[in-house]
């Protein structure tokens, strides 16, 4: 009886000291800096640390893949903060495992697509799917010609657009010509909102992208100042596709195996040669 009374007295004391919760200005600063309405760049110290690992020449392909996934999760978490939700009814199991409590939950309202730009964008897909598991994944393949112009070699967008938001994934924005081309493809497809997620962008390329498509949202890890005559961001990441998959540069003799137009032409020549030999 004495223990029960003591518990009751303690409850009374706790209730008398309880303070109602009230909202107050946060003392924590945002981990992203906004440059205009649609451009956000991270200033988070952990991401800066991860970014140094990603840049380093000593980082192995496996470590590069893992670090890119971690950075993408952080960037994707912020990029998806503008999504809206709708209320849905759910049940929550009680503590005795037999009762179920009715409650109200939330579900993302928009239909989402992830658009990785091949090849390096593939390294960002898994992290994004951890955040938005119901998203569809549509691949677009682009390579950069010697004149630095983008050339599309693969496109798996369905004929009908049933997507509200498309997140374009590419670790590096150099001249931004590739992204501008992909944005044009997606707009023609019919996407109403496009959001680019990238780890590093050159200042010049980013300016080109924002000028060309001011309605496109961009979430970045860092802005690098220099873009050289070869279209490389400095210091950048190196070739993110090669570093992601542990491959080297393509020799000129091997280009015909990479570019579909050259592959078809090579196949045609081989076929003609074979016919000639049979004759």
């Amino acid at each position: 009886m004495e223990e029960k009374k003591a518990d009751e007295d303690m409850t009374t004391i706790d209730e008398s000291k309880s303070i109602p919760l009230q909202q107050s200005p946060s003392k924590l600063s945002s981990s992203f800096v906004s440059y205009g309405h649609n451009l956000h760049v991270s200033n988070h110290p952990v991401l800066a640390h991860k970014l140094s690992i990603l840049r380093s020449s000593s980082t192995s392909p496996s470590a590069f893949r893992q670090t890119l996934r971690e950075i993408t999760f952080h960037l994707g978490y912020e990029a998806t903060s503008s999504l809206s939700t709708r209320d849905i009814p759910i049940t929550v199991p009680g503590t005795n495992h037999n009762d179920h409590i009715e409650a109200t939950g939330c579900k993302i309202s928009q239909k989402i697509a992830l658009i990785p730009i091949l090849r390096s964008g593939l390294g960002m897909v898994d992290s994004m799917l951890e955040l938005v598991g119901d998203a569809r994944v549509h691949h677009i393949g682009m390579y950069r010609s010697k004149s630095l112009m983008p050339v599309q070699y693969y496109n798996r967008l369905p004929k009908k657009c049933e997507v509200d938001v498309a997140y374009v994934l590419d670790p590096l924005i150099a001249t931004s010509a590739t992204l501008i081309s992909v944005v044009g493809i997606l707009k023609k497809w019919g996407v109403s909102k496009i959001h680019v997620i990238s780890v590093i962008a050159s200042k010049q390329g980013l300016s080109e992208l924002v000028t060309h498509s001011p309605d496109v949202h961009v979430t970045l890890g860092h802005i690098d100042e220099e873009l050289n005559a070869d279209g490389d961001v400095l210091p950048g990441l190196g070739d993110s596709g090669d570093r992601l998959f542990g491959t080297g540069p393509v020799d000129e003799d091997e280009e015909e195996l990479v570019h579909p137009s050259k592959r078809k032409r090579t196949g045609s020549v081989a076929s003609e040669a074979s016919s000639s030999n049979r004759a």
Side-chain angles (χ1 to χ4, degrees), residues 36-75:
H37 181 65
N38 294 337
L39 174 58
H40 306 281
V41 183
S42 174
N43 65 355
H44 198 288
V46 173
L47 190 138
H49 171 80
K50 298 286 185 183
L51 184 55
S52 296
I53 297 173
L54 200 68
R55 289 189 195 267
S56 175
S57 301
S58 63
T59 299
S60 66
S62 61
F64 188 92
R65 289 191 292 269
Q66 177 61 34
T67 306
L68 180 59
R69 285 195 294 268
E70 293 169 356
I71 291 175
T72 301
F73 189 90
H74 173 79
L75 296 174

Side-chain angles (χ1 to χ4, degrees), residues 209-228:
L209 176 62
V210 172
T211 301
H212 184 273
S213 302
D215 56 326
V216 170
H217 294 252
V218 183
T219 298
L220 287 173
H222 192 265
I223 299 175
D224 281 358
E225 294 290 329
E226 190 174 350
L227 182 70
N228 67 15

Side-chain angles (χ1 to χ4, degrees), residues 47 70 80 123 146 159 161 176 180 195 199 206 229 248 253 259:
L47 190 138
E70 293 169 356
T80 53
K146 293 180 180 179
K159 291 183 178 180
C161 177
S176 79
I180 290 173
H195 198 133
V199 179
L206 188 59
D253 293 340
H259 300 164

Side-chain angles (χ1 to χ4, degrees), residues 1-2 4 72 83 93 102 110 131 138 151 157 170 181 203 207 215 242-243 245 260 271 279:
M1 289 293 291
E2 291 180 358
K4 185 176 181 180
T72 301
L83 293 174
E102 293 185 357
Q110 294 96 331
L131 290 167
H138 302 308
V151 180
L157 294 175
D170 196 358
S181 178
K203 191 172 184 179
S207 177
D215 56 326
D242 286 343
R243 299 192 66 191
F245 297 107
S271 177

Side-chain angles (χ1 to χ4, degrees), residues 101-155:
I101 304 165
E102 293 185 357
T104 301
C106 295
K107 185 175 182 178
I108 293 174
S109 302
Q110 294 96 331
K111 293 180 181 178
I112 300 169
L114 306 179
I115 315 292
I117 299 179
L118 304 182
R119 348 176 239 167
S120 54
L122 291 173
M124 305 174 73
V125 173
D126 288 346
S127 294
M128 290 299 296
L129 285 175
E130 290 182 18
L131 290 167
V132 284
D134 292 332
R136 303 171 186 181
V137 182
H138 302 308
H139 302 84
I140 294 180
M142 306 285 287
Y143 72 86
R144 192 169 66 175
S145 67
K146 293 180 180 179
S147 62
L148 304 183
M149 294 302 295
V151 180
Q152 178 183 284
Y153 66 88
Y154 189 78
N155 186 328

Side-chain angles (χ1 to χ4, degrees), residues 159-214:
K159 291 183 178 180
K160 185 178 180 181
C161 177
E162 297 179 341
V163 170
D164 300 311
V165 184
Y167 289 96
V168 181
L169 310 178
D170 196 358
L172 201 65
I173 301 175
T175 63
S176 79
T178 295
L179 270 175
I180 290 173
S181 178
V182 170
V183 166
I185 292 169
L186 293 176
K187 286 184 175 181
K188 187 176 180 180
W189 185 46
V191 181
S192 57
K193 182 178 179 181
I194 300 171
H195 198 133
V196 174
I197 300 176
S198 189
V199 179
I200 293 174
S202 73
K203 191 172 184 179
Q204 178 182 328
L206 188 59
S207 177
E208 292 283 345
L209 176 62
V210 172
T211 301
H212 184 273
S213 302

